[in-house]
Amino acid sequence: MTPEQYAQERAASSGSSFYYAFKFLPPDRRAAITAFYAFCREVDDVVDEVHDPSVAATKLNWWRQEVQRLYSGQASHPALLALQPHVERFGIEAHHLLDVIEGCQMDLQQTRYLDFAGLSRYCHLVAGVVGEVASAIFGRSQTQTLQYAHKLGLALQLTNILRDVGEDARRGRIYLPVDELQRFDVKAHEVLRREAPWGYSERFTALMKFQAERAHGLYDEALALLPEADRQAQKPGLMMANIYRALLRELEAENFQVLHQRIALTPVRKLWIAMRTNWRGR
């Protein structure tokens, strides 16, 4: 199996909404974003699948070293070998990859965030930086497009957080800010219990509605920042925005019943949204 085949299989097997947007890119850009996404999946899985924190930390340190080897032409992992031909053309620098690893490191060290400012820092590392790299690969000619990419990354990550409240609680994590839990009188133990009906309450629903409104506002802000000159090139990002916003609306329609189940869009619906965005250009 070639590194490119490995990255392709890694991206396809994830079932991520991102994969549907990649399909509409020219081959060279599609190869670059697929390799970058494969790298992101690799380091993210270290945290999610390795149950011993010390082992996970060791693995993340290995990835930091592997990133350094990438930029000296000595990488060995197929995901980075697939990425290597694209780093110079698309301006992918070591600090981008190291920031993603740092965000995953935060998952090992922190299971709560006191306020939205702290959560935003985490989202910047695991999503904003990803948006920055992705927007460069898609084709970014305007400085303002970088602001759009970071804002959209934050909106996408907040949507992920709302979808995954139950799954994260199973791992002992709560990404909803502590001060906002307190404001809506939602107890951490109620979230961590993850059982119906105890975890669900009018208080929990009000908290989730507040989070969803924030995410909708960020989508609106991001789209307003995207310059017309880059709109065509950034269509894959718009596809992701539309897919994730449809997911956010699905969470709202299901009254945020996310503690005991995973709410998701079907692959057919994701593909349809991506195709519709490609046709409409927005």
Side-chain angles (χ1 to χ4, degrees), residues 8-248:
Q8 175 68 24
E9 289 195 9
R10 194 73 172 86
S13 65
S14 72
S16 170
S17 302
F18 288 71
Y19 181 69
Y20 295 89
F22 300 167
K23 290 177 173 292
F24 294 86
L25 286 165
D28 56 339
R29 296 182 188 273
R30 184 167 67 246
I33 193 63
T34 300
F36 176 63
Y37 181 74
F39 160 77
C40 293
R41 292 304 323 158
E42 291 288 344
V43 296
D44 187 62
D45 283 353
V46 169
V47 175
D48 287 343
E49 298 181 1
V50 178
H51 301 297
D52 185 329
S54 63
V55 174
T58 299
K59 286 180 175 290
L60 289 180
N61 282 332
W62 182 89
W63 274 106
R64 289 186 180 93
Q65 296 166 10
E66 181 71 351
V67 167
Q68 300 301 337
R69 288 190 288 268
L70 168 66
Y71 288 90
S72 62
Q74 298 176 323
S76 60
H77 195 280
L80 291 189
L81 289 174
L83 185 61
Q84 191 162 25
H86 308 288
V87 294
E88 184 174 355
R89 176 185 174 186
F90 296 113
I92 305 171
E93 300 180 8
H95 72 85
H96 292 128
L97 307 185
L98 293 173
D99 279 351
V100 173
I101 296 172
E102 183 61 28
C104 293
Q105 183 78 38
M106 289 179 71
D107 280 328
L108 297 180
Q109 300 169 337
Q110 198 166 345
T111 59
R112 305 283 194 281
Y113 291 88
L114 294 178
D115 52 29
F116 184 65
L119 180 63
S120 295
R121 168 61 181 163
Y122 167 77
C123 292
H124 164 75
L125 294 171
V126 300
V129 173
V130 173
E132 178 178 339
V133 173
S135 67
I137 293 173
F138 298 157
R140 188 179 70 226
S141 66
Q142 306 295 310
T143 302
Q144 192 169 316
T145 302
L146 183 60
Q147 302 172 42
Y148 145 83
H150 277 278
K151 188 76 71 173
L152 179 58
L154 179 56
L156 297 177
Q157 187 61 26
L158 290 182
T159 304
N160 274 339
I161 287 171
L162 295 184
R163 178 197 62 195
D164 294 342
V165 170
E167 290 188 13
D168 291 330
R170 179 168 54 83
R171 299 185 175 102
R173 304 177 195 157
I174 301 177
Y175 290 96
L176 306 173
V178 171
D179 63 344
E180 293 171 4
L181 287 168
Q182 293 172 342
R183 186 191 314 172
F184 289 90
D185 195 29
V186 174
K187 312 301 183 187
H189 70 83
E190 295 174 332
V191 177
L192 294 172
R193 191 169 182 178
R194 298 187 302 112
E195 296 177 5
W198 300 283
Y200 298 112
S201 64
E202 291 183 0
R203 295 172 286 109
F204 178 78
T205 302
L207 169 65
M208 294 293 281
K209 285 181 177 178
F210 174 79
Q211 305 296 328
E213 288 169 4
R214 170 186 281 151
H216 278 303
L218 288 166
Y219 283 113
D220 290 339
E221 291 174 29
L223 296 175
L225 285 168
L226 179 59
E228 192 61 37
D230 278 352
R231 183 169 291 274
Q232 178 69 21
Q234 294 297 319
K235 273 202 292 188
L238 296 176
M239 292 174 192
M240 289 186 282
N242 288 337
I243 290 171
Y244 271 75
R245 203 161 192 181
L247 172 60
L248 181 59

